[in-house]
Amino acid sequence: MKIYGHEITSRLLLGTAQYPSPAVLSTAIRESGSEIITVSLRRETADGTGAGFWDQLRDLGCRILPNTAGCHSVQEAVTTAHMARDLFDTPWIKLEVIGHSDTLQPDVFALVEAARTLADDGFQVFPYTTDDLVVGEKLLEAGCEVLMPWGAPIGSGQGLRNPDGLRAMRAHFPDVPLIVDAGIGRPSDATQAMELGMDAVLLNTAVAKAGDPAGMAKAMALAVEAGRAGFAADPMERRDMAVPSTPVLGLAALS
Ligand SMILES: CC(=O)[C@@H](O)[C@H](O)COP(=O)(O)O
């Protein structure tokens, strides 16, 4: 799949926050096979992780997708994006503008405005959004070439709260890369997203907070692959009624 002209083979994107240790983070990322990892500039800087952490991420050989997690206004998000571009030397930015501190729901009005400002300034924007079709259209008009609808609130692990909304997005934007971002809790959630025809999944907490993060990273990678293969194989329609799966040919001879 191509995102902003960049070819990727792994459809699992991984976050880098909340791991029990830097070593566990590195092992989990390697096990996931992810080629793209996202990093929160504000959160990591606030944690005081500093240059060692950035060097560790660079050493993993993944492409870095900086994000604006923790930003609540257009100005904060735009400023953070500029800092990220300077630090990581990339035009990519995962744009989060949070509108509500309980749900961490995106402020879609501020999101569209920030996306337009950044796209006009040469950024390649990955917007964390809801599954609203109109907002999706506005983000594309603003210059985004990918959409990242939420599965459920960040860190909740609830899985896909609105599969119908994601299905509608797939139908409405057949040619736009769609990456489900946030709320994935279990491998089966990732598989479901891929079976719905999503192009990729981005997740963090489900791996970082698992008892065995490396094991969960591997499980998520397999789940994404299975879901994609299932989607590509064109699953059967669900039926309301039972239909015998074994055809009845002839009659059993009773003696
Ligand atoms: C890491 C990151 O960017 C998060 O803001 C992202 O949305 C992932 O959410 P989960 O932690 O729920 O997977």
Side-chain angles (χ1 to χ4, degrees), residues 14-18 38-40 43 67 69 94 96 128 152-157 181-184 202-206:
L14 217 56
T16 56
Q18 305 185 70
T38 185
V39 56
S40 158
R43 204 172 286 138
N67 70 60
K94 178 163 110 71
E96 284 185 26
Y128 166 63
I154 294 172
S156 69
D181 176 10
I184 298 289
L202 187 150
L203 58 92
N204 187 154
T205 312

Side-chain angles (χ1 to χ4, degrees), residues 200-225:
V201 166
L202 187 150
L203 58 92
N204 187 154
T205 312
V207 166
K209 293 296 181 190
D212 171 9
M216 186 57 78
K218 178 83 189 164
M220 288 294 185
L222 293 170
V224 165
E225 210 176 307

Side-chain angles (χ1 to χ4, degrees), residues 54-96:
W54 308 137
D55 291 343
Q56 182 195 349
L57 296 184
R58 284 195 195 95
D59 289 349
L60 287 164
C62 299
R63 178 143 185 165
I64 292 184
L65 172 60
N67 70 60
T68 64
C71 293
H72 290 256
S73 70
V74 174
Q75 190 52 51
E76 266 185 306
V78 168
T79 306
T80 304
H82 278 273
M83 286 167 58
R85 183 160 70 178
D86 292 346
L87 187 61
F88 294 108
D89 194 21
T90 174
W92 281 14
I93 190 76
K94 178 163 110 71
L95 183 60
E96 284 185 26

